[in-house]
Amino acid sequence: MVRAVQDQVDAEVGADAATEEASAGSALFDGYLEPDRPHAGAYDEMFAPDGTVRTPYRALHDAIAPTAVADLTVRSEALDRAYVDQGITFSLSGQERPFPLDIVPRVISSGEWGRLQKGIVQRVKALEAFLADVYGDAEIIRDGVLPRRLITSCEHFHREAAGLVPPNGVRIHVAGIDLVRDEQGTFRVLEDNLRNPSGVSYVMENRRTMARVFPDLFTRQRVRAVGDYSTHLLRALRSAASVNEADPNVVVLTPGVYNSAYFEHSLLARQMGVELVEGRDLFCRDNMVYMRTTEGEQQVDVIYRRIDDEFLDPLQFNPRSVLGIAGVINAARAGNVVIANAVGNGVGDDKLVYTYVPKMIDYYLGEKPLLPNVDTFRCWLDDEKSHVLEHLDELVLKPVEGSGGYGILFGPNATAKQLASARKDIRDDPRGWIAQPVVQLSTVPTKVDDRLVPRHVDLRPFAVNDGESVFVLPGGLTRVALPKGSLVVNSSQGGGSKDTWVLAPNRAPDVERELGEKGLALAAPAGSPAAEHGPELTMSQQQQQQQQQQQQQQAGDA
């Protein structure tokens, strides 16, 4: 397959670019650092202000700069075709579209990644301690570090999760920590994703597709692999099971094929060698969860759910949900099944609670934050609200419960009418809003038409917690704002992605190079979920689709 794709690319390049001059590729970067470009003060990750290439990007730049425009165009088109052929899409305005993958990867040096990794691990540990505390003795509130109303007013604080302690104490099995790089080149945490962080499938598929279409880039760089993510995830899920389970049965619970992240659900289940199930495939009896299979009932020990809390258990949350399993919360409370990620994690990634994470790190770990937050004004505090109202035209206003880039107001670009409406919303619901200075996200060269131009990016690394250690996948999902001047990287707002390269340290004797398929599917266990057997499983497909779409709107964007 790899050879076939490469042969096709080579043939097309030869046909289209054989007569093009070797120097044509130098035009790729023409005008890249022009002074009048949008957000010219942003930190560019490939070029220093004087135009010199930064050290981590030198080999990549030397490989790309001489490339003919036609060559780069053919390879870029091959990337798009590869995604279409594999059905890797996302939903935009109700239509399924291939997820745009830019041909120029983002590069992170080994030393810089080491610092990021330590900061992510520190943050996950502090948030893990916070969730255990807030659903337990709430000492952080009793000691006056956090106000009680901060927690009780949070939409995703679920009292149903109080006292529900996982067997190995892990609530955040998977975390996605969104990072941005400011004008000084400092990485800052933009937000935490502790419920159902999505996008890791794009990380793995971006690497596999890039290796097929542009394999010669990897011969110049020592790039750490990302294909073993599913191995770490499966280990964490199996470790989460009750201690008396020698061979725990793990399943991936999906809302169904209408969900925009269904490709990711199926990919992870296939690579882990576990069953991909829908709510109708599972049922509870005597506080135990069972799966219907062609070989009969099988007890389920761990559910890696990709369904929001509100749809997970109709006995505890939305009574009209047909996506979840009635009684699964009681089964978890009885210690007979583990739900990953845990119910109620949303209180930890609330955008207002986010502003208190540095205090959590100090309180629970006795440490200083290794990764700073983006400066944030909390509208529920009177003095900060006054500042926001006065300077709204200079700030970015975000709804606390918003996701996917929706509901964000960029003050400098807003009309007088929009600003007046936003001020009214802040006064009506101060708890529902935060504001931040406009952060000029760092830029990375991105192919637009026949040139490489700066486009703004963020980074979502993924962390997996197995109870003994926190593994951070080298790199993560780099999202890129494709429209000129845009700072919104979400795919729902027209964004795309880049392969993220973490360079291996020079001292490593065995360099991991991603030229093939690593961490692929394990053999699937015998027995698969039965497909709509019996009248008790008959349901309205239209109702299922509506609930999946409703959850999709509430869930965060990849």
Side-chain angles (χ1 to χ4, degrees):
M1 176 65 180
V2 174
R3 174 55 57 190
V5 172
Q6 183 59 33
D7 288 346
Q8 180 182 4
V9 171
D10 291 343
E12 293 181 3
V13 170
D16 294 342
T19 60
E20 190 158 342
E21 296 182 3
S23 62
S26 62
L28 289 174
F29 289 101
D30 282 354
Y32 183 86
L33 294 177
E34 57 188 12
D36 60 343
R37 69 188 186 277
H39 310 296
Y43 180 94
D44 189 79
E45 301 202 5
M46 178 177 280
F47 294 99
D50 61 1
T52 58
V53 180
R54 300 186 193 275
T55 302
Y57 279 89
R58 286 177 183 169
L60 178 64
H61 176 269
D62 292 345
I64 291 179
T67 305
V69 172
D71 186 349
L72 210 63
T73 299
V74 168
R75 294 179 188 272
S76 181
E77 291 172 351
L79 290 179
D80 293 339
R81 285 198 306 273
Y83 267 32
V84 172
D85 292 344
Q86 295 178 73
I88 305 175
T89 63
F90 73 101
S91 179
L92 179 62
S93 301
Q95 297 182 350
E96 291 296 321
R97 305 186 182 187
F99 194 61
L101 171 60
D102 185 67
I103 199 166
V104 181
R106 181 188 203 169
V107 182
I108 301 175
S109 69
S110 174
E112 189 166 52
W113 176 251
R115 293 187 291 272
L116 288 178
Q117 183 177 13
K118 290 178 181 178
I120 293 167
V121 170
Q122 179 194 61
R123 199 169 182 96
V124 170
K125 288 182 177 180
L127 287 165
E128 188 76 70
F130 166 72
L131 289 172
D133 188 16
V134 79
Y135 286 114
D137 296 333
E139 294 180 357
I140 195 169
I141 296 174
R142 189 170 61 243
D143 291 344
V145 179
L146 299 185
R148 181 177 299 275
R149 66 189 181 102
L150 171 69
I151 307 302
T152 57
S153 62
C154 177
E155 179 180 333
H156 298 291
F157 173 68
H158 295 311
R159 289 174 174 81
E160 295 84 352
L164 205 167
V165 181
N168 69 342
V170 175
R171 289 172 169 81
I172 308 171
H173 302 84
V174 180
I177 309 299
D178 288 352
L179 306 175
V180 295
R181 202 168 196 169
D182 64 16
E183 298 87 340
Q184 288 72 44
T186 301
F187 275 103
R188 294 179 177 270
V189 179
L190 184 64
E191 63 181 49
D192 305 292
N193 299 275
L194 311 179
R195 285 170 280 176
N196 294 307
S198 62
V200 72
S201 60
Y202 296 127
V203 177
M204 294 185 285
E205 290 302 319
N206 284 355
R207 178 62 53 81
R208 292 175 61 179
T209 304
M210 282 288 293
R212 291 172 180 175
V213 174
F214 222 148
D216 42 319
L217 287 183
F218 291 86
T219 63
R220 300 170 179 253
Q221 298 279 59
R222 297 177 170 185
V223 183
R224 295 185 61 183
V226 297
D228 60 347
Y229 173 83
S230 297
T231 302
H232 291 276
L233 177 59
L234 180 60
R235 181 185 300 118
L237 295 175
R238 291 174 62 88
S239 298
S242 178
V243 292
N244 59 356
E245 294 295 338
D247 186 20
N249 190 11
V250 179
V251 299
V252 177
L253 176 62
T254 176
V257 296
Y258 300 109
N259 187 270
S260 62
Y262 181 75
F263 168 79
E264 178 162 305
H265 307 164
S266 60
L267 176 70
L268 292 176
R270 185 171 68 252
Q271 291 195 351
M272 290 190 293
V274 304
E275 298 292 355
L276 177 67
V277 300
E278 298 182 27
R280 58 187 175 180
D281 299 317
L282 306 177
F283 68 95
C284 292
R285 185 175 62 224
D286 298 330
N287 283 340
M288 293 187 177
V289 179
Y290 296 91
M291 173 174 58
R292 296 181 176 92
T293 76
T294 54
E295 297 180 352
E297 301 173 356
Q298 292 184 9
Q299 185 176 343
V300 174
D301 303 301
V302 181
I303 301 174
Y304 178 44
R305 53 76 178 250
R306 299 299 295 263
I307 291 178
D308 288 347
D309 290 348
E310 291 75 15
F311 295 91
L312 185 60
D313 188 341
L315 297 183
Q316 302 287 342
F317 302 110
N318 184 352
R320 301 181 62 184
S321 173
V322 294
L323 301 179
I325 312 110
V328 69
I329 299 299
N330 288 336
R333 190 176 297 280
N336 296 323
V337 71
V338 172
I339 301 171
N341 283 352
V343 175
N345 277 12
V347 69
D349 60 22
D350 177 273
K351 287 185 176 63
L352 183 56
V353 174
Y354 148 90
T355 64
Y356 293 87
V357 173
K359 286 188 175 183
M360 297 179 197
I361 294 173
D362 178 59
Y363 180 78
Y364 293 115
L365 307 180
E367 300 171 357
K368 298 293 184 182
L370 299 177
L371 291 175
N373 280 7
V374 172
D375 295 337
T376 305
F377 299 99
R378 298 164 285 198
C379 294
W380 81 324
L381 301 179
D382 291 339
D383 56 340
E384 297 187 22
K385 178 176 69 174
S386 298
H387 178 86
V388 171
L389 293 173
E390 183 178 352
H391 299 276
L392 188 56
D393 59 340
E394 305 169 7
L395 302 171
V396 178
L397 184 68
K398 296 181 178 181
V400 166
E401 301 297 340
S403 62
Y406 294 104
I408 295 178
L409 177 73
F410 283 86
N413 302 333
T415 64
K417 183 177 181 180
Q418 290 174 324
L419 291 173
S421 176
R423 288 188 176 97
K424 181 179 183 302
D425 292 338
I426 293 172
R427 293 188 181 98
D428 291 344
D429 181 21
R431 170 63 170 82
W433 300 92
I434 61 169
Q436 297 171 332
V438 178
V439 179
Q440 305 293 339
L441 308 185
S442 61
T443 57
V444 176
T446 303
K447 185 181 181 300
V448 176
D449 298 327
D450 59 352
R451 288 199 309 160
L452 296 179
V453 296
R455 289 294 185 262
H456 298 283
V457 296
D458 77 349
L459 177 65
R460 176 179 289 183
F462 292 88
V464 179
N465 186 3
D466 64 8
E468 296 183 359
S469 62
V470 178
F471 164 77
V472 184
L473 184 68
L477 178 63
T478 289
R479 300 181 296 182
V480 54
L482 296 176
K484 184 176 182 179
S486 174
L487 294 172
V488 181
V489 299
N490 305 80
S491 59
S492 58
Q493 306 297 309
S497 72
K498 287 177 171 288
D499 190 13
T500 308
W501 291 5
V502 172
L503 302 183
N506 292 330
R507 63 180 180 275
D510 297 317
V511 176
E512 297 178 285
R513 300 197 181 193
E514 191 73 38
L515 291 177
E517 300 175 356
K518 297 175 181 283
L520 299 183
L522 303 172
S528 58
E532 298 192 24
H533 289 287
E536 73 279 8
L537 294 180
T538 301
M539 61 185 296
S540 166
Q541 189 177 23
Q542 181 179 4
Q543 182 184 15
Q544 182 188 24
Q545 181 176 3
Q546 289 173 347
Q547 289 198 3
Q548 291 178 21
Q549 292 173 342
Q550 182 179 353
Q551 171 179 313
Q552 181 177 325
Q553 292 173 358
Q554 295 179 2
D557 178 60

